[in-house]
Amino acid sequence: MSRNSEKAKPTMAVHLIAGGGAGLCEALACHPLDTIKVRMQLSRRARLPGQKPKSFLTVGRDIVRKETPLGLYKGLGAVVTGIVPKMAIRFSSFEFYKTFAKPDPVTGNVASKAVFFSGLLAGATEAVAVVTPMEVIKIRLQAQHHSMADPLDIPKYRNAAHAVYTVVREEGFLALYRGVSLTALRQATNQAVNFTAYTEFKQYAHKLQPHLKEKGLELPAYQHMLLGLVSGAMGPLSNAPIDTIKTRLQKTPANPGETAAKRILAITADMWKHEGVHAFYKGITPRIMRVAPGQAVTFMIYEAIRGWMDRVGVFKAPAVEYTT
């Protein structure tokens, strides 16, 4: 029996603490890029004659100049509030879904196909449980162009809690789940690609450094970071159009009697007609710059916290291993 198969499974407390800590670090480090991405996706400049879409550097500069640097952190409250349960659900559900797959009797590894589908289901689970309402509120806050340095410039949504109250009061509770189908599709494809790529890269890294496994050691932190960076960039490239349509869907209230499917089709047709195919990839640069470093931070911090918990015996957490 391999070393991997002898390891005890981590508890929910380990997932909560390690995942929450990793998610918090990721949000604080990368949120400005997400704000720039949302502004680019909501921009209609391409519809104006002779106007070219602004670059992500220009958008970021304009936000800082007109709204102060704090403008880059609009919607952060909604993200931080949801990041702990989001990461806890992501990692715990991923490990749970993997238990339905039969591991290799020699290596104890789960097949790549099983890792892919486990990531797919984990992404859909976090989207329904946490991500959709969190993103609806985040996008509403990020879409506001008020100056955070001017106390007289009062926006419609003052903070995350006020945004939740206002949206529910004016549009109903279900408005928090606007775009849930697209969010679930985006998160599912993201995590399927992310976990599969990270697992494969990690196995390959261990093969290149057999002395680490022989001594029961994990990969160095910088290697976890690099592997997370590469795997994190793959998801956005695979589902950019889904993310752009989702952002526009969640930004505005729905018309009475209009179904979600009808709105999605209308937004898609309108973008195609007035802005062209490039509109579906608006914000792809800052999104990759946001998601890839975010996953690098997440995996590095997650594995570091779990490794520390293992060494000090907190919850008797095992060394980190995605391939059990």
Side-chain angles (χ1 to χ4, degrees), residues 180-203:
V180 64
S181 58
L182 291 177
T183 304
L185 183 59
R186 185 199 66 179
Q187 292 301 112
T189 51
N190 263 349
Q191 299 316 314
V193 172
N194 189 27
F195 276 117
T196 304
Y198 184 81
T199 300
E200 291 295 318
F201 291 153
K202 188 176 178 182
Q203 289 180 1

Side-chain angles (χ1 to χ4, degrees), residues 63-132:
I63 292 174
V64 172
R65 187 178 62 200
K66 298 176 183 178
E67 305 169 45
T68 78
L70 291 177
L72 294 171
Y73 285 90
K74 286 179 178 178
L76 180 62
V79 174
V80 171
T81 301
I83 204 73
V84 172
K86 170 187 172 181
M87 290 300 180
I89 290 170
R90 174 182 297 180
F91 286 103
S92 60
S93 62
F94 173 69
E95 295 294 340
F96 171 74
Y97 292 130
K98 277 205 312 180
T99 62
F100 291 95
K102 186 177 180 181
D104 186 282
V106 178
T107 64
N109 294 342
V110 172
S112 296
K113 182 169 65 175
V115 173
F116 179 87
F117 282 107
S118 296
L120 198 74
L121 293 171
T125 301
E126 71 176 19
V128 175
V130 179
V131 177
T132 302

